Amino acid sequence: MSDALLKRLGLLRERVSALVEARRAGDPSEGDPLRGLYVSAERVEHLLAGCERIPVELDDAYGGAGADDALGEVAVRFGLTPLDIHILLTALAPDVDRDFEPLYGYLNDDVGRRRASVALALDLAGLAPQDWAARARFHPGAPLTAFGLLTLEDAERPLPGRGLRVPERVIAHLLGDTGLDGQLLGAVELLTTGQSVGPFASRLGALLAARPSTVYLRGRGAQSGTAVAALRAAGLPVLRYDPAFGERHLVPVLLREARLRGAGVVVGPLPEKAEEAGALVRALESGGLPRHSGLPASGDVPVVLFGTEPFDPRWSADGDVLCLDVPPEAVDTRLLWAAQLGREAEEFDLPAAVAPYRLAPEQIRRAARSARTLAVLEGGPLTAAHVQWGARQQSAPALDRHARRVTPAVGWADLVLPAGPREQLEELVVRARQRERVLGEWGLRTGGGRGHGVVALFAGESGTGKTLAAEVVAGELGVDLYVVELSAVVDKYVGETEKNLERIFADADRTDAVLLFDEADAVFGKRSEVKDAGDRYANLESAYLLQRLESFDGIAVLTTNLRANIDDAFTRRLDLVVDFPFPDLDQRLALWRQSLAGVPCADGVDPGPCARDFALAGGSIRGAVVTAAYAAAGRGGRVTSDDLLTGAVREYRKAGRLVVGENDL
C-alpha cells in the first residue's frame, strides 16, 4: 500500500473516530452489550432528538484529485469530485483495513453491517441524506457507479441504507496491482513493449495523443500492428481485445481497465456479420453507460478498431469514427520477425522465408514460439522450415471449407521441365515474395482498386506436371496449396456460382496459401455471343471473375489443358503464362528414372526402351511405374523390365493409342 493511500485512510480514520465520539455522547444505549441488535425506547427517543453533524470541508480532502498516487490519478481519469473521492475511500476502507469494520458496525447501529452505507458515507462528509446534490453522486449516471468504480448493494433498501462496495479490481489497482482484471483474461492482452513504428502509425499516434478518438483501420494483416504501434507512439500501454474470445458484456470492464491504466484500446478484427459488428461498435461508444448520462463512454480513451470489411456508418450511434485504409508498408513485419527470432535466424534467409506471409504482430509472436518449439522437438537448430511451419499454423483455415488442402511434399528436384518453363516458375516465386515491396512500397500497383495478388496460368497437356509445379511453388514459398473443388463452386442456380467463388476469393485473401484452380477453363472460359438466357448468365459469371481477379490479394494458379479456351481478357490480367511442353526423349527418361528412384528393381532394369518407344507424359509415366510396382509386390519380388513394359502398355491403352504387336505382350 502506498504512503499516500495510508495517509488518506489515516484522515478518514480521524473522521470516523470523531463521528463515533459524537454518536456516543448522550447515547442511552452506549453501555448496552446488545446495542445494534435491538432498538430500545430510550434509543428511539435519542434518535428522534437527532444529533449534530460534524462540518467537513472536502475541497482539499485527502489530497484531492491529481495527487501523486493511484487514487489521485483515478480521480482525474474518471472525473471524480472531492465528494466522490471521499465516498470511494469510505467504501474501500474495510477491504484494506479491518479496523474499520467494527467502527462501521457501530456507526450503522447494526453489528452485522460492517461496510459503509450511503448514509454513513454522507455523515462522514457532514452531509445529510436529504441533500439532493449529495444523493446524485450515487445515481446510475454518476461517475462512481456508471464507470464501475462503486456498486450499491441491498437493492430492496432505501438509498440511505444501501451498502457500498468497491470491485476488487479497483481496490487491487489502488494498492499497486498491475495485473489484468480477471474477467478479461483470455479475451484481452496487455501490450507494454515497443514496436516498429512507420510514418503512418507515427502520424496516427500523434493524433490519438492530442485528441483521443475512435478510429477504424481497414486492410489486410497490417491493421492490428499499425493500431498497436500508433498507441505505443502516443506513449500509451495497449489493451488488445479480440471479440472472438470475449462477449460484448466485457466492454464496460475493458474501458474501466483502460481508464485505470491510462491505456489505449485496440479491438478487432470486427465480426464479419454486420449486425454483430454494429452492436460491438455501439457498445464501445456507450461503454455500458446509461443513455444521455453526459459522461464520456470511450471518448476519453483512444479506441482503434480494425477489420477487413468497409465500415458501415450505421454501426456508430454518434457517427464520430475516423475510417482509414492502412497502407501495406505501415508496419515492417520483417523487423518484427527479426526481433522475435533474434540471432537464431542468422543461419538462414529470414526475409525470403517469411515474405509470403501477411501476419499481424501477435500472429508473428505466436508463430515464432511455435517454430522454436518444433525445433526443440526435432533436436536441431531453428531453420526456415520451422519458421514457415509456425507461420502456417497462424494462417486462417477458412479455405478448408471450400478447397482441398495439400501440404507440399515435393521440391525443384521432383520437377522435370525445360529451362524456359522452369525459369518462369522461379520468377513466379520471386513475384510472390516481393509483391508487397514492388506493388506497395514502390507504388507500381495501378489504380482501379487492384490488389496485390499474383495470378499465373499453367497450360499444357494432361500429365505434363502443371499440378506438380503448383505444389513445388507452394513448397518453395513455404505455404499450403489449396485445390479448388469445382463441385463446391459450380451451381445450377443463377448467381450461386459467383457467390461460391466470392467466398473462396475472400477466404484466400485472408489466407497465406497458393490457390489452385485445376481445369480452370470450366469457370474461366471464353465469353460468347448472347443467343439465349444461358449465354447471358455465363457471360455475367465471366465478367465477375474478371473484376475479382483485379482486386485479388492472394496467390492463384490456373491450370488448363486447352489454353485456347481461356478468355483473352483473363490472359491480360495474368502475371505469368507458363507453357508445359510434352516431354521429349531425354525428359521422359529422366521422368522414368525419377519415378523408379525409391522402387526396388531387379538387376539390369533399364527404362530406356519404354522412354523411347512410348511417348508418355509425366503423369502417365508415374501411373506406369505404379502398375509395375503393384505387379512386383503381388508376386513378392522386384520390378522387372517386363513389369515396366506392361505398365507402359496399360497407360497407352488408357490414352486410346494403338500399341504395335500388343497381342504378343
Side-chain angles (χ1 to χ4, degrees), residues 454-577:
V454 176
V455 183
L457 174 68
F458 293 175
E461 294 184 33
S462 178
T464 52
K466 301 183 296 295
T467 304
L468 178 65
E471 186 176 348
V472 169
V473 169
E476 182 67 15
L477 292 172
V479 299
D480 288 327
L481 176 71
Y482 280 89
V483 182
V484 177
E485 304 288 354
L486 293 181
S487 61
V489 175
V490 179
D491 197 293
K492 66 179 180 179
Y493 294 105
V494 173
E496 290 302 313
T497 298
E498 289 89 333
K499 290 180 182 178
N500 294 335
L501 285 168
E502 175 57 32
R503 283 192 285 268
I504 291 173
F505 277 117
D507 289 337
D509 278 338
R510 296 191 292 268
T511 304
D512 296 313
V514 173
L515 188 64
L516 174 63
F517 288 91
D518 209 0
E519 307 296 342
D521 43 300
V523 287
F524 293 86
K526 282 190 174 182
R527 290 167 290 182
S528 61
E529 181 182 351
V530 177
K531 296 181 180 179
D532 55 31
D535 293 336
R536 177 188 177 198
Y537 289 116
N539 288 347
L540 283 175
E541 180 182 309
S542 296
Y544 158 77
L545 285 169
L546 287 170
Q547 295 174 351
R548 194 59 181 85
L549 282 179
E550 293 275 3
S551 60
F552 184 53
D553 275 332
I555 305 168
V557 173
L558 320 178
T559 69
T560 180
N561 298 340
L562 300 169
R563 178 177 172 181
N565 286 352
I566 301 293
D567 196 298
D568 292 339
F570 286 115
T571 305
R572 183 182 66 80
R573 288 165 170 80
L574 299 172
D575 295 286
L576 284 172
V577 176

Side-chain angles (χ1 to χ4, degrees), residues 164-177:
L164 304 179
R165 184 181 294 274
V166 178
E168 178 57 32
R169 172 59 196 135
V170 178
I171 297 172
H173 175 79
L174 295 175
L175 294 176
D177 186 355

